Amino acid sequence: MFYYLGLTLFLRGQYSEALKYIGNIESNQIFSPKVYYLYGQVFLNSGQTDNAVKAFKAALAASPKHIKARIKLAEISYQKDALSEVANHTEFILANSGLASKEEIAKTHYLHARVLATANKYEEAVAALQTALKSDPENVDIKLEYYTLRSRVGSQIKDGPGKAKMFHHLALGEKAFKEGRTSEALAAFLTARDAQYDDPTPLVRLADVFRKKGDIQSAKSNMEKAIKLTPRNVAIYPKYIRILIEAYEFDDAVKQLEVYRGLEPPVAIYDQLQGDLNFKQEKYHPALGWYKRALSASNSEVYVSYAKTIFKGNNFADAAF
């Protein structure tokens, strides 16, 4: 009981109150390493880094394969320049990748890449970041690190001048976009596009900016151009299809879903997109079916969509699922 009250308060940002509740759990009543992990999160967000480290280490002592605690310790170790500690944790996670989510795998490759870059192993660092982006393609921190590194060491990994300039402006745009400076991000991504017309990446990022601004038609236009450049690039179709769904262009969305399916994409992503399409059309029962199938990937975004559909369709019998 105290754990769940503490967790609720932590999620609300009430850290001192959270600490009071989980402090009521006696040491001989700690039923799971997640209690230590919650302690660590509360301490970390309260600026008590040393106590956070002790708590995360306690979680590992209780369960050496606690991936979330290892990632937190790796992040803290990187901030303290304890690179060997970072390497120990990232190597363990990658060796036990079956225990980690896609987002956790991406974060691990991201941290591993930063260690490699510090050791001037730039090609390996770039490869690690590319792997991270495959697992979590919308992670702004990973994209920013990747673009920054490519712009800085492009000549050493045989990037041409146009591509080096593209990555330089992508990095500038990514930083501005992360900080909410959308006009500056737009200008930077436009310059990146002009530097390398045959690469879809600037077009995809332009679509993100226009989508953020509420200009769905411009977002759609840029995604169409990106698709024309690389029609078999399976990674960019989900964003294009979601934009079509947002624009209520359901017939085009159905056509692109068929094209996407022909590229043999991850089944869970295809199922989620089908769920999104049906949800937007207010077909809540079939949407629920597609989201159920997609839940096999344990994607938190799908759980949110699934819950929304339950409420929209008044189908509370499926809530326990």
Side-chain angles (χ1 to χ4, degrees):
M1 183 67 166
F2 288 124
Y3 168 80
Y4 292 106
L5 288 169
L7 178 60
T8 300
L9 290 165
F10 166 73
L11 293 172
R12 290 178 179 174
Q14 297 172 253
Y15 305 129
S16 58
E17 290 85 352
L19 203 54
K20 289 176 187 175
Y21 276 99
I22 55 178
N24 286 317
I25 305 172
E26 300 291 339
S27 58
N28 63 350
Q29 295 179 329
I30 293 178
F31 58 91
S32 165
K34 67 183 182 181
V35 177
Y36 295 117
Y37 181 70
L38 179 58
Y39 261 119
Q41 287 182 296
V42 173
F43 283 133
L44 191 61
N45 283 276
S46 302
Q48 302 179 56
T49 305
D50 291 341
N51 285 333
V53 169
K54 291 176 184 176
F56 291 137
K57 285 184 175 179
L60 287 187
S63 176
K65 293 183 178 181
H66 197 291
I67 299 299
K68 287 180 172 59
R70 284 194 179 275
I71 289 175
K72 290 294 184 185
L73 286 169
E75 289 175 330
I76 294 169
S77 297
Y78 182 81
Q79 292 166 3
K80 292 183 175 182
D81 288 327
L83 301 185
S84 61
E85 285 293 312
V86 180
N88 287 339
H89 290 302
T90 56
E91 286 169 10
F92 181 92
I93 295 167
L94 294 176
N96 295 273
S97 59
L99 302 173
S101 68
K102 288 173 63 177
E103 291 79 8
E104 289 164 347
I105 291 294
K107 178 65 74 70
T108 302
H109 281 294
Y110 166 69
L111 290 165
H112 184 55
R114 299 188 83 174
V115 173
L116 290 168
T118 303
N120 297 326
K121 297 179 179 180
Y122 298 124
E123 286 190 44
E124 294 175 55
V126 166
L129 288 168
Q130 288 172 330
T131 303
L133 283 172
K134 288 178 183 177
S135 295
D136 192 1
E138 298 304 314
N139 189 302
V140 174
D141 291 326
I142 297 173
K143 283 191 283 195
L144 178 57
E145 184 73 16
Y146 176 62
Y147 298 149
T148 302
L149 185 61
R150 285 291 294 261
S151 68
R152 195 169 73 232
V153 302
S155 60
Q156 298 176 45
I157 57 174
K158 299 182 174 65
D159 276 348
K163 193 166 280 285
K165 184 179 178 182
M166 179 191 77
F167 281 115
H168 171 71
H169 287 285
L170 281 171
L172 293 176
E174 206 63 52
K175 187 173 188 298
F177 191 64
K178 181 182 178 181
E179 294 171 357
R181 295 180 282 115
T182 52
S183 295
E184 292 178 43
L186 181 61
F189 292 143
L190 284 169
T191 305
R193 181 203 62 188
D194 293 342
Q196 196 77 21
Y197 273 105
D198 60 353
D199 194 302
T201 309
L203 294 166
V204 173
R205 298 309 286 137
L206 282 167
D208 288 330
V209 175
F210 284 121
R211 196 177 179 190
K212 181 83 170 177
K213 286 174 168 283
D215 186 350
I216 295 297
Q217 289 305 313
S218 293
K220 175 191 164 190
S221 174
N222 278 278
M223 286 307 302
E224 285 173 347
K225 293 173 184 175
I227 293 286
K228 285 179 182 177
L229 278 176
T230 53
R232 298 196 62 78
N233 185 345
V234 71
I236 62 179
Y237 274 86
K239 185 171 292 182
Y240 181 40
I241 293 166
R242 287 193 176 102
I243 288 171
L244 290 171
I245 293 169
E246 285 178 32
Y248 292 90
E249 298 189 18
F250 300 135
D251 290 343
D252 286 343
V254 169
K255 290 176 185 175
Q256 292 304 319
L257 273 165
E258 286 302 305
V259 175
Y260 183 54
R261 186 172 65 170
L263 298 174
E264 300 182 357
V267 173
I269 297 177
Y270 175 81
D271 291 345
Q272 184 183 354
L273 289 168
Q274 284 282 10
D276 292 343
L277 175 61
N278 280 275
F279 181 88
K280 194 73 170 180
Q281 294 174 306
E282 299 184 1
K283 299 176 181 178
Y284 300 125
H285 183 70
L288 207 58
W290 286 109
Y291 286 142
K292 270 189 178 182
R293 287 177 41 146
L295 285 174
S296 62
S298 299
N299 184 330
S300 59
E301 184 184 339
V302 185
Y303 278 96
V304 173
S305 299
Y306 182 76
K308 285 180 180 177
T309 310
I310 287 174
F311 280 102
K312 284 284 188 180
N314 293 317
N315 192 5
F316 301 110
D318 282 313
F321 177 87

